[in-house]
């Protein structure tokens, strides 16, 4: 039996369980009829059916069904039982009689039942509600500490373009000859003047990145990139202080590209328990603008991105 009732046999298992239960019902009912001269009242049949269904769905079926599904099933079953009981005048009158008798207190016994029910029902509902929403005893602190710089994924997809973080480079960190400005070229990078109207290469891109920054980011990250923008203190955590040696200075440029693209919303779970308000800029900026604003942030703070080695 045990091997037969294993998970993964849902439909067969369900049919069998229902079949067996139905058989027990029929045999039991015939037995009661034979012994007492009359069958169970409709209401009792309905209640038994309801209980049997609940037991099967809640405790027998495996793998267990989600509770939302259980509520749907039980709702449907309640409806069907109600329809069945009220299908004809005789059974309806018979079924509602005990309920009406209890409500109006027809006999001392009914009055007793009514008194108990009127006390027990509110208490029961109150207890059920309380236990379902009360925090568990010894409520634990969130176990994870906040990881400010979560581990980046191997590769990311930004606007349908695939980026391997280890090998990607900022396409705008290139000098006039198109050569990538690697470690060792810091001086050249910071000495540039983006206000020069004839600026070319990365100097021009720094300027364009600055435009992106002052159009989108300074409200939060501040004019000086110090995380003290005018909206900054409405957020928890407050926006990153990009001028602090602990933020972008510690990071590879592709990591920064990743964080700007995905924002707080699409960051990995470790960045919780507080959700950062950093918007996912891939939904608002072009890929080029994200690279350029990263370039600008490094230029303005005079940090050089960390390299992979
Ligand atoms: C609504 C406010 C808001 C705006 C607008 C905003 N940011 Fe942020 N930003 C944040 C918050 C909050 C964080 C997360 C701080 C933290 O995790 O401690 C953050 C984090 C960052 C980080 C990650 C720094 C790190 O150390 O990992 C970068 C990079 C960044 N923002 C760049 C930008 C850029 C570029 C823009 C504009 C295109 C921008 N932000 C616009 C609020 C904002």
């Amino acid at each position: 039996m045990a091997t037969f009732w294993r998970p993964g046999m849902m439909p067969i298992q369900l049919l069998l369980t229902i079949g067996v239960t139905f058989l027990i019902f029929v045999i039991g009912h015939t037995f009661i009829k034979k012994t007492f001269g009359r069958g169970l009242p409709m209401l009792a049949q309905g209640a038994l059916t309801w209980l049997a269904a609940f037991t099967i769905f809640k405790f027998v079926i495996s793998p267990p069904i989600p509770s939302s599904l259980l509520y749907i099933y039980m709702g449907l079953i309640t409806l069907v039982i109600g329809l069945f009981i009220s299908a004809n005048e005789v059974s309806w009158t018979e079924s509602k009689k005990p309920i009406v008798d209890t409500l109006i207190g027809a006999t001392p016994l009914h009055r007793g039942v009514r008194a108990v029910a009127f006390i027990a029902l509110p208490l029961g509902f109150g207890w059920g509600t309380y236990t379902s929403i009360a925090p568990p005893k010894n409520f634990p602190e969130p176990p994870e500490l906040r990881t400010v710089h979560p581990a980046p994924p191997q590769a990311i997809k930004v606007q349908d373009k695939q980026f391997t973080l280890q090998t990607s480079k900022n396409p705008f960190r290139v000098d006039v000859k198109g050569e990538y400005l690697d470690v060792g070229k810091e001086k050249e990078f910071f000495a540039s003047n983006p206000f020069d109207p004839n600026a070319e290469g990365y100097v021009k891109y720094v300027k364009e990145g600055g435009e992106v920054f002052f159009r989108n980011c300074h409200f939060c990250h501040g004019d000086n990139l110090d995380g003290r923008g005018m909206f900054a203190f409405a957020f928890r955590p407050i926006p990153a202080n990009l001028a602090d040696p602990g933020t972008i200075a510690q990071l590879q440029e592709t990591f920064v590209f990743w964080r700007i693209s995905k924002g707080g919303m699409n960051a990995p779970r470790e960045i919780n328990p507080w959700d950062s308000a950093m918007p996912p800029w891939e939904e608002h900026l072009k890929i080029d603008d994200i690279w350029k604003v990263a370039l600008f942030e490094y230029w303005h703070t005079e940090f050089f991105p960390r390299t992979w080695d």
Side-chain angles (χ1 to χ4, degrees):
M1 199 73 167
T3 47
F4 190 68
W5 289 70
R6 65 176 183 267
M9 301 189 65
M10 273 285 286
I12 297 170
Q13 191 192 52
L14 188 63
L15 283 178
L16 262 176
T17 316
I18 291 174
V20 170
T21 317
F22 186 70
L23 217 70
I24 294 175
F25 259 57
V26 171
I27 295 174
H29 205 227
T30 321
F31 176 76
I32 290 173
K33 247 187 196 160
K34 281 257 162 71
T35 341
F36 298 100
R38 55 172 294 218
L40 277 179
M42 275 296 226
L43 195 64
Q45 286 184 36
L48 273 177
T49 312
W50 196 93
L51 275 178
F54 182 76
T55 313
I56 291 172
F57 287 134
K58 177 91 186 173
F59 302 108
V60 178
I61 286 179
S62 97
I65 58 174
S67 54
S68 52
L69 203 60
L70 178 72
Y71 297 150
I72 294 176
Y73 285 172
M74 290 320 294
L76 280 175
I77 285 168
T78 311
L79 204 76
V80 169
I81 291 175
L83 278 176
F84 184 67
I85 285 177
S86 60
N88 66 59
E89 204 53 45
V90 183
S91 71
W92 177 231
T93 321
E94 185 210 293
S95 302
K96 74 180 181 195
K97 190 168 183 309
I99 299 174
V100 174
D101 283 352
T102 310
L103 283 177
I104 61 172
T107 64
L109 178 69
H110 283 113
R111 277 197 291 279
V113 172
R114 183 178 64 180
V116 173
F118 276 18
I119 296 170
L121 276 182
L123 280 181
F125 277 116
W127 182 76
T129 310
Y130 176 78
T131 47
S132 66
I133 60 174
K137 283 206 188 77
N138 310 321
F139 189 58
E141 294 280 312
E144 344 100 273
L145 287 173
R146 183 156 187 267
T147 312
V148 181
H149 300 313
Q154 276 285 319
I156 57 168
K157 214 166 151 194
V158 178
Q159 297 174 7
D160 292 329
K161 255 183 99 174
Q162 193 84 12
F163 291 92
T164 309
L165 291 191
Q166 289 248 11
T167 51
S168 295
K169 281 181 176 162
N170 189 336
F172 299 104
R173 190 181 283 279
V174 285
D175 64 16
V176 218
K177 282 172 249 141
E179 238 170 81
Y180 185 72
L181 288 172
D182 232 325
V183 191
K185 299 256 181 98
E186 291 93 335
K187 273 228 177 72
E188 191 183 340
F189 183 64
F190 296 124
S192 51
N193 173 16
F195 296 103
D196 175 0
N198 303 318
E200 268 188 78
Y202 66 92
V203 194
K204 185 168 143 256
Y205 304 135
V206 163
K207 186 178 160 198
E208 290 170 5
E211 277 165 19
V212 175
F213 184 87
F214 286 105
R215 218 170 273 145
N216 301 288
C217 324
H218 88 281
F219 310 105
C220 290
H221 288 283
D223 297 358
N224 281 323
L225 281 64
D226 55 3
R228 298 288 186 273
M230 56 181 124
F231 296 150
F233 294 101
F235 301 115
R236 188 166 172 258
I238 58 169
N241 175 356
L242 306 174
D244 183 282
T247 62
I248 58 171
Q250 295 282 326
L251 305 170
Q252 290 87 10
E253 198 162 19
T254 48
F255 186 105
V256 172
F257 173 77
W258 168 60
R259 287 296 310 275
I260 300 174
S261 304
K262 301 292 170 189
M265 207 162 80
N266 302 326
R269 295 276 324 149
E270 309 97 90
I271 207 162
N272 294 328
W274 307 295
D275 293 314
S276 107
M278 170 75 172
W281 288 102
E282 63 178 338
E283 292 169 17
H284 310 283
L285 297 176
K286 289 192 229 98
I287 290 175
D288 285 358
D289 285 343
I290 300 179
W291 282 122
K292 283 177 192 167
V293 77
L295 192 72
F296 167 78
E297 286 176 349
Y298 280 107
W299 177 84
H300 191 286
T301 52
E302 303 213 340
F303 292 126
F304 215 70
R306 212 163 128 190
T307 48
W308 286 97
D309 26 64

